[in-house]
Amino acid sequence: MIFTRSWLNEFIDISAISDDDIAKKMNSIGNEVASVEPMNVARGVVLGFVKSCEKHPDADKLSICQVDIGSEVVQIVCGAKNVREGLYVPVATLGITLPNGLQMKPVKLRGVDSAGMICSSEEIGLPKMGAGIIEFDDSIGALVIGKELCEYESLNDTIIEVELTANRGDVLSING
């Protein structure tokens, strides 16, 4: 079974307990913890809003987007199939380094300037969540353009995986 620390916290107050202590306690009551993985968004990745999106004149699979990142509107060339006007998206701003080692600097893609990158979940340090870029809605909290995603509690959590055994039916749900 896979669950998050925040989900467990909805049932019992674990705010003062470390991830290691949760794993030790789960193991001590007969639930083998397979993994405990922090899920954190890289600093410098902000919530952006795609104001406009047009096809690149020299590339079939690229789009030229005008993206509001709070402090300014930047032009970003994006290759994701699901990018379109009106989306709230994660934007890696210039000057940061993503978890995969990619450094954000101004580039030209097929002759068009691009200042940053609209990201997929894996590019910003989260588990894979479908194909293409992430499309945010208010389920993460109030959508504040320019706010760093590492400040959203729901995007910075711990994922805990517990091995299931046939004799522990109570572990088949979070409430159990």
Side-chain angles (χ1 to χ4, degrees), residues 14-74:
I14 58 170
S15 57
I17 304 172
S18 72
D19 293 341
D20 287 340
D21 287 341
I22 291 171
K24 287 176 187 172
K25 186 55 114 175
M26 295 290 282
N27 284 326
S28 75
I29 61 172
N31 300 314
E32 182 182 342
V33 175
S35 66
V36 177
E37 296 181 33
M39 176 180 76
N40 299 304
V41 176
R43 293 203 66 73
V45 178
V46 300
L47 183 67
F49 180 74
V50 181
K51 294 183 81 156
S52 68
C53 184
E54 300 172 358
K55 286 292 179 194
H56 192 293
D58 296 329
D60 292 338
K61 296 183 179 180
L62 295 177
S63 298
I64 302 169
C65 303
Q66 301 301 317
V67 183
D68 185 351
I69 60 169
S71 58
E72 62 182 317
V73 175
V74 295

Short mmCIF file of all heavy atoms in Angstrom, two decimals, residues 14-74:
data_model
loop_
_atom_site.label_atom_id
_atom_site.label_comp_id
_atom_site.label_asym_id
_atom_site.label_seq_id
_atom_site.Cartn_x
_atom_site.Cartn_y
_atom_site.Cartn_z
N ILE A 14 0.58 13.33 13.37
CA ILE A 14 1.96 12.86 13.31
C ILE A 14 2.93 14.02 13.05
O ILE A 14 4.06 13.82 12.67
CB ILE A 14 2.14 11.77 12.22
CG1 ILE A 14 1.73 12.31 10.85
CG2 ILE A 14 1.41 10.50 12.60
CD1 ILE A 14 2.09 11.41 9.70
N SER A 15 2.46 15.23 13.28
CA SER A 15 3.26 16.42 12.97
C SER A 15 4.59 16.47 13.73
O SER A 15 5.57 17.02 13.24
CB SER A 15 2.46 17.69 13.23
OG SER A 15 2.01 17.72 14.57
N ALA A 16 4.64 15.86 14.92
CA ALA A 16 5.87 15.90 15.73
C ALA A 16 6.71 14.63 15.58
O ALA A 16 7.69 14.45 16.29
CB ALA A 16 5.52 16.12 17.20
N ILE A 17 6.34 13.75 14.64
CA ILE A 17 7.02 12.47 14.48
C ILE A 17 7.81 12.49 13.17
O ILE A 17 7.28 12.87 12.12
CB ILE A 17 6.01 11.31 14.48
CG1 ILE A 17 5.18 11.34 15.77
CG2 ILE A 17 6.72 9.97 14.34
CD1 ILE A 17 4.03 10.35 15.77
N SER A 18 9.06 12.05 13.20
CA SER A 18 9.90 12.03 12.00
C SER A 18 9.49 10.88 11.08
O SER A 18 8.83 9.91 11.51
CB SER A 18 11.37 11.88 12.38
OG SER A 18 11.62 10.56 12.85
N ASP A 19 9.90 10.96 9.83
CA ASP A 19 9.63 9.90 8.86
C ASP A 19 10.24 8.58 9.32
O ASP A 19 9.62 7.52 9.18
CB ASP A 19 10.16 10.27 7.48
CG ASP A 19 9.43 11.45 6.85
OD1 ASP A 19 8.30 11.75 7.29
OD2 ASP A 19 9.99 12.05 5.92
N ASP A 20 11.47 8.63 9.85
CA ASP A 20 12.13 7.41 10.33
C ASP A 20 11.36 6.77 11.48
O ASP A 20 11.22 5.55 11.53
CB ASP A 20 13.56 7.72 10.79
CG ASP A 20 14.50 7.98 9.61
OD1 ASP A 20 14.17 7.56 8.49
OD2 ASP A 20 15.56 8.60 9.84
N ASP A 21 10.84 7.59 12.39
CA ASP A 21 10.08 7.06 13.52
C ASP A 21 8.76 6.42 13.06
O ASP A 21 8.33 5.42 13.62
CB ASP A 21 9.81 8.14 14.56
CG ASP A 21 11.06 8.52 15.35
OD1 ASP A 21 12.03 7.72 15.36
OD2 ASP A 21 11.06 9.60 15.97
N ILE A 22 8.14 7.00 12.03
CA ILE A 22 6.92 6.41 11.48
C ILE A 22 7.24 5.03 10.91
O ILE A 22 6.53 4.05 11.17
CB ILE A 22 6.29 7.31 10.40
CG1 ILE A 22 5.73 8.59 11.04
CG2 ILE A 22 5.18 6.57 9.63
CD1 ILE A 22 5.29 9.63 10.05
N ALA A 23 8.33 4.93 10.15
CA ALA A 23 8.72 3.65 9.56
C ALA A 23 9.05 2.63 10.65
O ALA A 23 8.63 1.47 10.56
CB ALA A 23 9.92 3.85 8.65
N LYS A 24 9.76 3.04 11.68
CA LYS A 24 10.10 2.12 12.78
C LYS A 24 8.84 1.62 13.49
O LYS A 24 8.72 0.44 13.81
CB LYS A 24 11.03 2.80 13.78
CG LYS A 24 12.44 2.98 13.28
CD LYS A 24 13.29 3.73 14.27
CE LYS A 24 14.65 4.06 13.68
NZ LYS A 24 15.43 4.95 14.54
N LYS A 25 7.90 2.51 13.73
CA LYS A 25 6.65 2.14 14.41
C LYS A 25 5.84 1.19 13.54
O LYS A 25 5.28 0.20 14.03
CB LYS A 25 5.85 3.39 14.76
CG LYS A 25 4.62 3.12 15.59
CD LYS A 25 4.95 2.36 16.86
CE LYS A 25 4.69 3.19 18.07
NZ LYS A 25 4.89 2.41 19.30
N MET A 26 5.75 1.48 12.25
CA MET A 26 5.02 0.59 11.33
C MET A 26 5.66 -0.81 11.33
O MET A 26 4.95 -1.81 11.39
CB MET A 26 5.01 1.16 9.91
CG MET A 26 4.26 2.47 9.76
SD MET A 26 2.50 2.31 9.92
CE MET A 26 2.07 1.67 8.35
N ASN A 27 6.98 -0.87 11.29
CA ASN A 27 7.68 -2.16 11.31
C ASN A 27 7.44 -2.89 12.62
O ASN A 27 7.26 -4.10 12.65
CB ASN A 27 9.18 -1.98 11.07
CG ASN A 27 9.50 -1.70 9.61
OD1 ASN A 27 8.85 -2.21 8.72
ND2 ASN A 27 10.51 -0.89 9.39
N SER A 28 7.43 -2.16 13.74
CA SER A 28 7.28 -2.79 15.05
C SER A 28 5.90 -3.41 15.27
O SER A 28 5.73 -4.29 16.10
CB SER A 28 7.58 -1.78 16.17
OG SER A 28 6.53 -0.86 16.32
N ILE A 29 4.89 -2.95 14.51
CA ILE A 29 3.56 -3.53 14.65
C ILE A 29 3.25 -4.52 13.52
O ILE A 29 2.10 -4.91 13.32
CB ILE A 29 2.46 -2.44 14.73
CG1 ILE A 29 2.41 -1.57 13.47
CG2 ILE A 29 2.62 -1.61 15.98
CD1 ILE A 29 1.24 -0.61 13.41
N GLY A 30 4.30 -4.95 12.80
CA GLY A 30 4.14 -6.01 11.82
C GLY A 30 3.87 -5.57 10.40
O GLY A 30 3.50 -6.39 9.56
N ASN A 31 4.04 -4.31 10.10
CA ASN A 31 3.87 -3.81 8.74
C ASN A 31 5.23 -3.48 8.16
O ASN A 31 5.85 -2.51 8.58
CB ASN A 31 2.99 -2.56 8.72
CG ASN A 31 1.62 -2.81 9.27
OD1 ASN A 31 0.99 -3.79 8.92
ND2 ASN A 31 1.15 -1.94 10.13
N GLU A 32 5.68 -4.27 7.21
CA GLU A 32 7.01 -4.06 6.65
C GLU A 32 7.00 -2.84 5.72
O GLU A 32 6.31 -2.81 4.71
CB GLU A 32 7.47 -5.28 5.87
CG GLU A 32 8.87 -5.13 5.31
CD GLU A 32 9.30 -6.33 4.50
OE1 GLU A 32 8.70 -7.40 4.62
OE2 GLU A 32 10.25 -6.16 3.71
N VAL A 33 7.78 -1.83 6.08
CA VAL A 33 7.89 -0.62 5.27
C VAL A 33 8.92 -0.86 4.18
O VAL A 33 10.08 -1.15 4.46
CB VAL A 33 8.28 0.60 6.14
CG1 VAL A 33 8.50 1.83 5.26
CG2 VAL A 33 7.20 0.88 7.18
N ALA A 34 8.46 -0.80 2.93
CA ALA A 34 9.34 -1.04 1.79
C ALA A 34 10.16 0.19 1.44
O ALA A 34 11.32 0.09 1.06
CB ALA A 34 8.52 -1.48 0.58
N SER A 35 9.56 1.38 1.56
CA SER A 35 10.29 2.60 1.23
C SER A 35 9.66 3.82 1.87
O SER A 35 8.46 3.85 2.13
CB SER A 35 10.37 2.80 -0.29
OG SER A 35 9.09 3.03 -0.82
N VAL A 36 10.50 4.80 2.13
CA VAL A 36 10.08 6.11 2.63
C VAL A 36 10.82 7.12 1.76
O VAL A 36 12.04 7.24 1.85
CB VAL A 36 10.43 6.31 4.12
CG1 VAL A 36 10.04 7.70 4.57
CG2 VAL A 36 9.77 5.25 4.98
N GLU A 37 10.09 7.80 0.89
CA GLU A 37 10.72 8.72 -0.05
C GLU A 37 10.15 10.13 0.06
O GLU A 37 8.96 10.33 -0.15
CB GLU A 37 10.52 8.22 -1.49
CG GLU A 37 11.18 6.91 -1.76
CD GLU A 37 10.97 6.46 -3.20
OE1 GLU A 37 10.90 7.34 -4.09
OE2 GLU A 37 10.87 5.25 -3.42
N PRO A 38 11.02 11.09 0.37
CA PRO A 38 10.55 12.48 0.37
C PRO A 38 10.23 12.92 -1.06
O PRO A 38 10.89 12.51 -2.01
CB PRO A 38 11.72 13.28 0.93
CG PRO A 38 12.80 12.31 1.22
CD PRO A 38 12.39 10.97 0.76
N MET A 39 9.20 13.71 -1.20
CA MET A 39 8.78 14.24 -2.49
C MET A 39 8.83 15.76 -2.36
O MET A 39 8.01 16.35 -1.66
CB MET A 39 7.36 13.75 -2.78
CG MET A 39 6.75 14.28 -4.03
SD MET A 39 5.07 13.65 -4.30
CE MET A 39 4.14 14.64 -3.13
N ASN A 40 9.84 16.38 -2.98
CA ASN A 40 10.02 17.82 -2.84
C ASN A 40 10.24 18.46 -4.20
O ASN A 40 10.99 17.95 -5.02
CB ASN A 40 11.23 18.13 -1.96
CG ASN A 40 11.06 17.59 -0.56
OD1 ASN A 40 10.09 17.90 0.10
ND2 ASN A 40 11.98 16.75 -0.13
N VAL A 41 9.59 19.58 -4.41
CA VAL A 41 9.77 20.35 -5.64
C VAL A 41 11.03 21.20 -5.51
O VAL A 41 11.30 21.76 -4.44
CB VAL A 41 8.54 21.25 -5.91
CG1 VAL A 41 8.75 22.13 -7.12
CG2 VAL A 41 7.29 20.41 -6.07
N ALA A 42 11.78 21.30 -6.58
CA ALA A 42 13.00 22.10 -6.59
C ALA A 42 12.71 23.57 -6.33
O ALA A 42 11.68 24.10 -6.77
CB ALA A 42 13.71 21.94 -7.94
N ARG A 43 13.59 24.24 -5.62
CA ARG A 43 13.46 25.68 -5.39
C ARG A 43 13.63 26.41 -6.72
O ARG A 43 14.40 25.99 -7.58
CB ARG A 43 14.49 26.16 -4.38
CG ARG A 43 14.21 25.59 -2.99
CD ARG A 43 14.80 26.40 -1.87
NE ARG A 43 14.29 27.72 -1.66
CZ ARG A 43 13.09 28.03 -1.14
NH1 ARG A 43 12.26 27.10 -0.82
NH2 ARG A 43 12.74 29.29 -0.95
N GLY A 44 12.91 27.51 -6.87
CA GLY A 44 13.00 28.30 -8.10
C GLY A 44 11.98 27.91 -9.16
O GLY A 44 11.88 28.55 -10.19
N VAL A 45 11.23 26.84 -8.89
CA VAL A 45 10.14 26.46 -9.80
C VAL A 45 8.89 27.16 -9.28
O VAL A 45 8.49 26.99 -8.14
CB VAL A 45 9.94 24.93 -9.83
CG1 VAL A 45 8.77 24.57 -10.74
CG2 VAL A 45 11.21 24.23 -10.28
N VAL A 46 8.28 27.97 -10.15
CA VAL A 46 7.14 28.79 -9.73
C VAL A 46 5.88 28.40 -10.49
O VAL A 46 5.94 27.73 -11.52
CB VAL A 46 7.42 30.31 -9.94
CG1 VAL A 46 8.63 30.76 -9.15
CG2 VAL A 46 7.58 30.63 -11.42
N LEU A 47 4.75 28.85 -9.97
CA LEU A 47 3.48 28.64 -10.65
C LEU A 47 3.34 29.70 -11.73
O LEU A 47 3.42 30.89 -11.45
CB LEU A 47 2.32 28.74 -9.65
CG LEU A 47 0.94 28.45 -10.24
CD1 LEU A 47 0.82 26.98 -10.65
CD2 LEU A 47 -0.15 28.81 -9.24
N GLY A 48 3.16 29.25 -12.95
CA GLY A 48 2.98 30.18 -14.07
C GLY A 48 1.61 30.00 -14.70
O GLY A 48 0.94 28.99 -14.49
N PHE A 49 1.21 30.99 -15.46
CA PHE A 49 -0.07 30.95 -16.17
C PHE A 49 0.20 31.20 -17.65
O PHE A 49 0.78 32.21 -18.03
CB PHE A 49 -1.02 32.01 -15.62
CG PHE A 49 -2.36 32.03 -16.31
CD1 PHE A 49 -3.29 31.04 -16.06
CD2 PHE A 49 -2.67 33.03 -17.24
CE1 PHE A 49 -4.52 31.04 -16.69
CE2 PHE A 49 -3.90 33.04 -17.87
CZ PHE A 49 -4.83 32.04 -17.61
N VAL A 50 -0.23 30.27 -18.50
CA VAL A 50 -0.02 30.39 -19.95
C VAL A 50 -1.04 31.37 -20.50
O VAL A 50 -2.23 31.07 -20.60
CB VAL A 50 -0.13 29.02 -20.65
CG1 VAL A 50 0.12 29.17 -22.15
CG2 VAL A 50 0.85 28.01 -20.04
N LYS A 51 -0.56 32.56 -20.85
CA LYS A 51 -1.46 33.61 -21.37
C LYS A 51 -1.79 33.40 -22.84
O LYS A 51 -2.88 33.73 -23.29
CB LYS A 51 -0.81 34.98 -21.17
CG LYS A 51 -0.66 35.36 -19.69
CD LYS A 51 -0.09 36.74 -19.55
CE LYS A 51 -1.23 37.70 -19.75
NZ LYS A 51 -1.06 38.99 -19.15
N SER A 52 -0.81 32.89 -23.60
CA SER A 52 -1.06 32.59 -25.01
C SER A 52 -0.14 31.47 -25.45
O SER A 52 0.91 31.24 -24.87
CB SER A 52 -0.85 33.83 -25.89
OG SER A 52 0.52 34.18 -25.92
N CYS A 53 -0.58 30.76 -26.49
CA CYS A 53 0.18 29.62 -26.99
C CYS A 53 -0.04 29.53 -28.50
O CYS A 53 -1.18 29.41 -28.95
CB CYS A 53 -0.30 28.35 -26.29
SG CYS A 53 0.61 26.88 -26.73
N GLU A 54 1.06 29.63 -29.25
CA GLU A 54 0.98 29.57 -30.71
C GLU A 54 1.96 28.54 -31.22
O GLU A 54 3.00 28.30 -30.61
CB GLU A 54 1.34 30.93 -31.31
CG GLU A 54 0.43 32.06 -30.88
CD GLU A 54 0.94 33.42 -31.35
OE1 GLU A 54 2.01 33.49 -31.98
OE2 GLU A 54 0.25 34.41 -31.07
N LYS A 55 1.65 27.93 -32.35
CA LYS A 55 2.57 26.97 -32.96
C LYS A 55 3.85 27.67 -33.41
O LYS A 55 3.82 28.80 -33.88
CB LYS A 55 1.91 26.29 -34.17
CG LYS A 55 0.87 25.27 -33.79
CD LYS A 55 1.54 24.09 -33.13
CE LYS A 55 0.54 23.05 -32.71
NZ LYS A 55 1.11 22.09 -31.80
N HIS A 56 4.97 26.99 -33.23
CA HIS A 56 6.27 27.51 -33.67
C HIS A 56 6.27 27.51 -35.20
O HIS A 56 5.84 26.54 -35.82
CB HIS A 56 7.37 26.59 -33.13
CG HIS A 56 8.74 27.14 -33.26
ND1 HIS A 56 9.36 27.34 -34.47
CD2 HIS A 56 9.64 27.52 -32.32
CE1 HIS A 56 10.57 27.82 -34.28
NE2 HIS A 56 10.77 27.94 -32.97
N PRO A 57 6.74 28.59 -35.83
CA PRO A 57 6.68 28.67 -37.30
C PRO A 57 7.62 27.67 -38.00
O PRO A 57 7.37 27.30 -39.15
CB PRO A 57 7.10 30.11 -37.61
CG PRO A 57 7.84 30.57 -36.41
CD PRO A 57 7.27 29.82 -35.25
N ASP A 58 8.68 27.22 -37.32
CA ASP A 58 9.66 26.34 -37.96
C ASP A 58 9.73 24.94 -37.33
O ASP A 58 10.70 24.22 -37.55
CB ASP A 58 11.06 26.97 -37.89
CG ASP A 58 11.13 28.27 -38.68
OD1 ASP A 58 10.41 28.39 -39.69
OD2 ASP A 58 11.89 29.16 -38.26
N ALA A 59 8.74 24.57 -36.51
CA ALA A 59 8.76 23.25 -35.88
C ALA A 59 7.34 22.79 -35.59
O ALA A 59 6.57 23.49 -34.95
CB ALA A 59 9.57 23.29 -34.59
N ASP A 60 7.01 21.61 -36.07
CA ASP A 60 5.65 21.08 -35.89
C ASP A 60 5.33 20.74 -34.44
O ASP A 60 4.19 20.84 -34.02
CB ASP A 60 5.45 19.82 -36.74
CG ASP A 60 5.46 20.13 -38.23
OD1 ASP A 60 5.21 21.30 -38.59
OD2 ASP A 60 5.74 19.21 -39.02
N LYS A 61 6.33 20.30 -33.67
CA LYS A 61 6.06 19.82 -32.32
C LYS A 61 6.36 20.84 -31.22
O LYS A 61 6.30 20.51 -30.05
CB LYS A 61 6.86 18.55 -32.06
CG LYS A 61 6.44 17.40 -32.96
CD LYS A 61 7.17 16.14 -32.66
CE LYS A 61 6.68 15.04 -33.58
NZ LYS A 61 7.36 13.78 -33.33
N LEU A 62 6.66 22.08 -31.59
CA LEU A 62 6.96 23.11 -30.59
C LEU A 62 5.89 24.20 -30.60
O LEU A 62 5.28 24.48 -31.62
CB LEU A 62 8.32 23.75 -30.87
CG LEU A 62 9.55 22.85 -30.76
CD1 LEU A 62 10.82 23.62 -31.13
CD2 LEU A 62 9.68 22.25 -29.37
N SER A 63 5.70 24.77 -29.42
CA SER A 63 4.77 25.90 -29.27
C SER A 63 5.51 27.06 -28.61
O SER A 63 6.40 26.85 -27.79
CB SER A 63 3.59 25.51 -28.37
OG SER A 63 2.86 24.46 -28.94
N ILE A 64 5.13 28.27 -28.97
CA ILE A 64 5.69 29.48 -28.35
C ILE A 64 4.64 30.01 -27.39
O ILE A 64 3.53 30.37 -27.80
CB ILE A 64 6.04 30.53 -29.41
CG1 ILE A 64 7.03 29.96 -30.42
CG2 ILE A 64 6.61 31.79 -28.75
CD1 ILE A 64 7.25 30.83 -31.64
N CYS A 65 4.99 30.04 -26.11
CA CYS A 65 4.04 30.43 -25.07
C CYS A 65 4.47 31.72 -24.39
O CYS A 65 5.66 31.94 -24.15
CB CYS A 65 3.95 29.33 -24.01
SG CYS A 65 3.48 27.72 -24.67
N GLN A 66 3.51 32.55 -24.08
CA GLN A 66 3.72 33.73 -23.23
C GLN A 66 3.20 33.33 -21.86
O GLN A 66 2.02 33.03 -21.71
CB GLN A 66 2.99 34.95 -23.78
CG GLN A 66 3.41 35.34 -25.19
CD GLN A 66 4.89 35.66 -25.30
OE1 GLN A 66 5.46 36.33 -24.44
NE2 GLN A 66 5.52 35.16 -26.35
N VAL A 67 4.11 33.29 -20.88
CA VAL A 67 3.76 32.76 -19.56
C VAL A 67 3.98 33.81 -18.48
O VAL A 67 5.07 34.37 -18.35
CB VAL A 67 4.62 31.50 -19.24
CG1 VAL A 67 4.20 30.90 -17.91
CG2 VAL A 67 4.50 30.46 -20.35
N ASP A 68 2.92 34.08 -17.72
CA ASP A 68 2.99 35.00 -16.59
C ASP A 68 3.57 34.24 -15.40
O ASP A 68 3.01 33.23 -14.97
CB ASP A 68 1.60 35.53 -16.26
CG ASP A 68 1.59 36.59 -15.18
OD1 ASP A 68 2.64 36.83 -14.54
OD2 ASP A 68 0.51 37.20 -14.97
N ILE A 69 4.72 34.71 -14.87
CA ILE A 69 5.34 34.07 -13.71
C ILE A 69 5.31 34.98 -12.48
O ILE A 69 6.09 34.84 -11.56
CB ILE A 69 6.77 33.59 -14.00
CG1 ILE A 69 7.68 34.75 -14.41
CG2 ILE A 69 6.77 32.48 -15.04
CD1 ILE A 69 9.16 34.39 -14.46
N GLY A 70 4.39 35.91 -12.48
CA GLY A 70 4.22 36.81 -11.35
C GLY A 70 4.98 38.10 -11.49
O GLY A 70 4.41 39.17 -11.53
N SER A 71 6.30 38.00 -11.59
CA SER A 71 7.13 39.19 -11.69
C SER A 71 7.19 39.75 -13.11
O SER A 71 7.50 40.92 -13.31
CB SER A 71 8.55 38.89 -11.20
OG SER A 71 9.11 37.82 -11.95
N GLU A 72 6.90 38.91 -14.09
CA GLU A 72 6.95 39.32 -15.50
C GLU A 72 6.27 38.26 -16.36
O GLU A 72 5.96 37.17 -15.90
CB GLU A 72 8.41 39.51 -15.95
CG GLU A 72 9.23 38.24 -15.88
CD GLU A 72 10.68 38.44 -16.29
OE1 GLU A 72 10.93 39.13 -17.30
OE2 GLU A 72 11.56 37.90 -15.61
N VAL A 73 6.08 38.59 -17.63
CA VAL A 73 5.60 37.62 -18.61
C VAL A 73 6.80 37.23 -19.46
O VAL A 73 7.48 38.10 -20.01
CB VAL A 73 4.48 38.22 -19.49
CG1 VAL A 73 4.08 37.24 -20.59
CG2 VAL A 73 3.26 38.58 -18.64
N VAL A 74 7.08 35.92 -19.51
CA VAL A 74 8.24 35.43 -20.25
C VAL A 74 7.80 34.59 -21.43
O VAL A 74 6.71 34.01 -21.42
CB VAL A 74 9.20 34.61 -19.34
CG1 VAL A 74 9.81 35.48 -18.26
CG2 VAL A 74 8.50 33.41 -18.73
#
